[in-house]
Amino acid sequence: MAHTLAEKILLDHTDAGDLKPGDIVPIRCDLVLANDVSGPVAFGAMEQMGAATVFDPDRVVMVADHFMPAKDIRSAELQKRLREWSHEHGVHFFDQGRGGIEHAVLIEEGFILPGMVITGGDSHTCTYGALGAFGTGLGSTDIAGCLALGEFWQSVPGTILVEVSGAKRPFVSGKDIILEVLGRIGVAGGTDMVLEFVGPGAEALSIDDRRAVANMAVEAGAESGIFPADRITTDYLAGRTDRPWSALRSDPDAIFARRLRIDLETLEPLVALPPSPGNVVPIGSVAGRKIHQVYIGNCANGTITDLRQAATVLRNRRVHPGTRAIIVPSSQRVYRQALEEGLLEVFIDAGAVVSTPTCGACFGGHTGILAPGEAAIATTNRNFTGRMGSDRADVYLASAWVAAAAAVTGEITDPADVVGEGGP
Amino acid sequence: MESRFTGRAHVYGDDIDTDRIIAGKYTKTLNLQDLADHVLEDLDIDFRSKLTKGDVLVAGTNFGCGSSREQAPLALKVAGVSAVVAKYFARIFFRNAINIGLPVLEVPDLEADSGDEVEIDLKAGVVKNLTKHTEYRASAMPQVMIDILDQGGLVAYLKKNGTYDASAL
């Protein structure tokens, strides 16, 4: 029987003889992840289940990233619990100063291989599809089950095949591809589905661009977003891991629930308007809107690629006096690389805040909270009401190109109008 | 878990995300009462004062979209919401609610106004609007979720069964 990529990965992780969309199957996890918000709740549930040990300490990763560094006593207590539990159970643990944002850390440090199943106590666990893995977000009690058993139940998703053709125009990035998808299928259009990205336009994307795309699959309600592993994946993994893996692809005659075509030749920079990631418009239609804060970072778009784009826009320019800019490298590794490439100097000279890697203000935690009446443009993945602070603040979602251009002009601006039509 | 109960409806719209159920800033605690004190405040600042223990939340499509934070269904449950009935739920929220023992039912055609008296029969999968004298059938739930809810949540389910019974899935 013909299978999609997601079905093949799930088949490799179950004793079920065969499967099709809608089947409920037990699935083995290759890796289980949690953080300072989801972890402590999961630990309590695991203890209540009567499980004294994790299924395999080498397959468990804990990352302190949400309220990290601790913003107050309560968040410090959560991190203390995460730290002590991790040491007690001998699992992988990335404390502050050692890792960064979980999905950046696991990808960059070689934990993720194509074909793996990763469950994470964080909805953006779908980011691992950038490397051809099935990553899916679960709540803390499901994660407790995964920690204890190395297993969870999954309803086999259908697949929406996103066929990407053509070459990106200047100032267009992975962010715009996923915003285009969200604009077309909406915030529930991926329910019970996986988004699979194929075609020459997808194959040409860097892993950083694929991360930005896969990361927001959950914003369509999808279980995961996946790129089949290819030569770019192989190159990315070289030097990060020497564990073996094999590339899987959907069968040519596999059944897809739906097909979407995206032509990069006509795709332009996009913006998601508050309060929904599915509220997507071309940048031209909102140019000129006042922006009080620019936020470049998070698990989708705090990569070295994003920081280079931001630096290209901000080099020899200043952050507009009516605007503030916060730049958050997504990991210690990216932070270090940005330092070596002179990007941090560009940001500091421009008058931006450069923060340590953290989830920070993306989820309204700390380090850049918005006041009532303020508007932010952010490279993050959610612009829900109250997401970055006040319920009377607005959040616009866009690429690092677009966010950095707004930092220079103080309003939503086509980056071509700042850097020049020809591109960087 | 009681399988049949009634409650007063509080009706809201589509795409109620987990940030509006409980904002990220409140997730820094394990104190569930603190979460419950702020439940739905960015959707309806008066929700807490209007809520009586046992009331039912009624919503449109894609309820609980966004974050995987289990604090969202926990905050609703601890605040006294007895069940959520929505046209359909975002998938992670749907599992989380069942896992912590908060009944959730998908009823695509439910019509209700805030204040209506609603009866929920979990065993039968039926929702009645007692005020409007209408009756609706909830979409079928996977057997594993029925079993988990039956036990009061995933902790009790796994404590009892030890694992996911593949034959019962």
Side-chain angles (χ1 to χ4, degrees):
Chain A
M1 187 176 152
H3 285 295
T4 64
L5 170 55
E7 289 165 5
K8 286 183 184 184
I9 296 175
L10 294 176
L11 255 179
D12 278 349
H13 291 80
T14 185
D15 295 328
D18 200 1
L19 45 74
K20 60 181 187 309
D23 287 354
I24 307 283
V25 285
I27 297 290
R28 290 184 291 273
C29 325
D30 294 307
L31 205 62
V32 183
L33 161 77
N35 56 50
D36 49 322
V37 168
S38 59
V41 179
F43 307 153
M46 189 181 128
E47 282 157 18
Q48 287 171 38
M49 285 171 187
T53 56
V54 299
F55 77 109
D56 181 353
D58 200 36
R59 291 176 180 273
V60 175
V61 188
M62 294 293 150
V63 185
D65 61 1
H66 272 63
F67 288 104
M68 190 275 299
K71 65 165 279 196
D72 56 15
I73 294 168
R74 285 188 145 181
S75 51
E77 285 174 335
L78 286 185
Q79 282 162 41
K80 183 165 178 270
R81 170 82 162 128
L82 187 75
R83 194 172 292 123
E84 291 173 353
W85 185 94
S86 298
H87 290 147
E88 184 191 330
H89 290 268
V91 304
H92 298 278
F93 175 52
F94 291 91
D95 207 341
Q96 64 186 49
R98 305 298 173 110
I101 301 175
E102 51 198 338
H103 309 306
V105 173
L106 266 61
I107 286 178
E108 291 165 11
E109 300 306 321
F111 281 92
I112 309 299
L113 293 178
M116 281 175 69
V117 170
I118 305 100
T119 54
D122 189 274
S123 59
H124 293 109
T125 304
C126 56
T127 311
Y128 306 131
L131 293 179
F134 183 91
T136 199
L138 295 173
S140 291
T141 303
D142 264 325
I143 288 298
C146 294
L147 290 171
L149 303 171
E151 195 177 50
F152 67 113
W153 68 266
Q154 172 74 40
S155 173
V156 177
T159 294
I160 297 176
L161 194 70
V162 185
E163 300 172 298
V164 189
S165 63
K168 290 198 310 266
R169 296 157 65 187
F171 307 114
V172 169
S173 75
K175 191 66 151 194
D176 302 300
I177 296 173
I178 192 63
L179 289 178
E180 173 70 14
V181 171
L182 286 163
R184 284 209 228 159
I185 71 173
V187 291
T191 305
D192 291 322
M193 295 286 152
V194 157
L195 308 179
E196 183 183 334
F197 296 85
V198 297
E203 288 161 19
L205 293 177
S206 70
I207 296 297
D208 284 357
D209 269 329
R210 295 179 190 186
R211 284 162 68 174
V213 173
N215 178 277
M216 290 182 76
V218 70
E219 265 54 73
E223 301 285 300
S224 199
I226 311 188
F227 287 77
D230 57 15
R231 193 185 50 76
I232 286 179
T233 322
T234 310
D235 291 349
Y236 185 86
L237 289 171
R240 290 178 203 272
T241 178
D242 49 14
R243 288 178 295 149
W245 56 275
S246 53
L248 298 169
R249 310 188 75 84
S250 287
D251 291 322
D253 53 343
I255 294 167
F256 297 100
R258 185 174 173 184
R259 289 170 189 262
L260 286 182
R261 290 197 170 79
I262 293 179
D263 183 3
L264 294 180
E265 302 291 339
T266 59
L267 189 67
E268 53 185 322
L270 300 172
V271 178
L273 313 184
S276 168
N279 225 347
V280 177
V281 299
I283 188 165
S285 67
V286 285
R289 291 204 191 176
K290 167 84 185 143
I291 293 295
H292 301 89
Q293 179 168 292
V294 170
Y295 189 90
I296 297 172
N298 119 313
C299 54
N301 286 91
T303 66
I304 193 67
T305 300
D306 296 293
L307 300 193
R308 286 175 186 152
Q309 290 168 358
T312 301
V313 177
L314 290 169
R315 188 167 283 117
N316 301 319
R317 295 188 179 92
R318 297 277 298 166
V319 173
H320 189 274
T323 302
R324 330 178 279 275
I326 301 174
I327 298 174
V328 190
S330 60
S331 66
Q332 291 293 114
R333 190 181 279 270
V334 167
Y335 200 4
R336 176 69 191 237
Q337 193 174 345
L339 176 71
E340 286 167 5
E341 293 183 15
L343 309 183
L344 302 187
E345 200 179 337
V346 172
F347 300 145
I348 292 165
D349 288 348
V353 166
V354 182
S355 151
T356 191
T358 178
C359 299
C362 167
F363 75 110
H366 56 112
T367 319
I369 301 303
L370 299 172
E374 289 193 323
I377 194 160
T379 64
T380 58
N381 31 38
R382 293 191 175 132
N383 54 355
F384 301 145
T385 301
R387 175 73 180 178
M388 291 184 79
S390 169
D391 61 337
R392 283 180 285 145
D394 286 332
V395 180
Y396 296 84
L397 306 177
S399 70
W401 286 122
V402 172
V408 172
T409 62
E411 54 191 43
I412 298 180
T413 305
D414 189 326
D417 295 341
V418 175
V419 182
E421 282 291 342
Chain B
M1 173 161 300
E2 223 181 312
S3 81
R4 208 167 87 180
F5 49 88
T6 59
R8 209 160 40 96
H10 297 264
V11 182
Y12 296 98
D14 295 340
D15 298 325
I16 308 294
D17 55 77
T18 47
D19 277 78
R20 278 188 291 173
I21 300 171
I22 188 73
K25 63 190 170 201
Y26 297 123
T27 60
K28 61 181 184 179
T29 180
L30 295 174
N31 184 328
L32 301 182
Q33 194 53 53
D34 283 356
L35 295 174
D37 288 345
H38 296 286
V39 71
L40 287 176
E41 71 177 18
D42 281 351
L43 176 68
D44 178 358
I45 193 71
D46 299 322
F47 178 74
R48 282 299 275 128
S49 55
K50 289 190 285 195
L51 183 76
T52 307
K53 189 170 164 23
D55 285 357
V56 174
L57 199 61
V58 175
T61 57
N62 204 28
F63 184 87
C65 60
S67 163
S68 61
R69 64 185 68 145
E70 200 167 279
Q71 288 86 349
L74 278 170
L76 289 169
K77 188 181 175 187
V78 173
V81 171
S82 64
V84 187
V85 184
K87 289 192 169 140
Y88 62 88
F89 292 88
R91 266 29 211 165
I92 306 176
F93 179 91
F94 194 45
R95 318 177 52 121
N96 285 350
I98 297 292
N99 283 346
I100 60 123
L102 174 67
V104 281
L105 295 99
E106 294 190 314
V107 179
D109 54 349
L110 182 74
E111 282 182 29
D113 293 307
S114 287
D116 286 358
E117 198 71 11
V118 171
E119 183 190 279
I120 290 174
D121 187 334
L122 291 175
K123 280 260 182 311
V126 168
V127 178
K128 287 181 189 168
N129 186 331
L130 301 177
T131 306
K132 292 191 172 23
H133 308 288
T134 49
E135 185 174 321
Y136 307 89
R137 180 152 291 282
S139 307
M141 229 175 8
Q143 186 61 41
V144 63
M145 296 184 99
I146 295 170
D147 293 346
I148 291 169
L149 191 57
D150 237 14
Q151 295 293 324
L154 184 61
V155 166
Y157 172 93
L158 284 180
K159 202 169 176 183
K160 176 161 175 265
N161 295 14
T163 185
Y164 300 98
D165 181 357
S167 62
L169 296 182

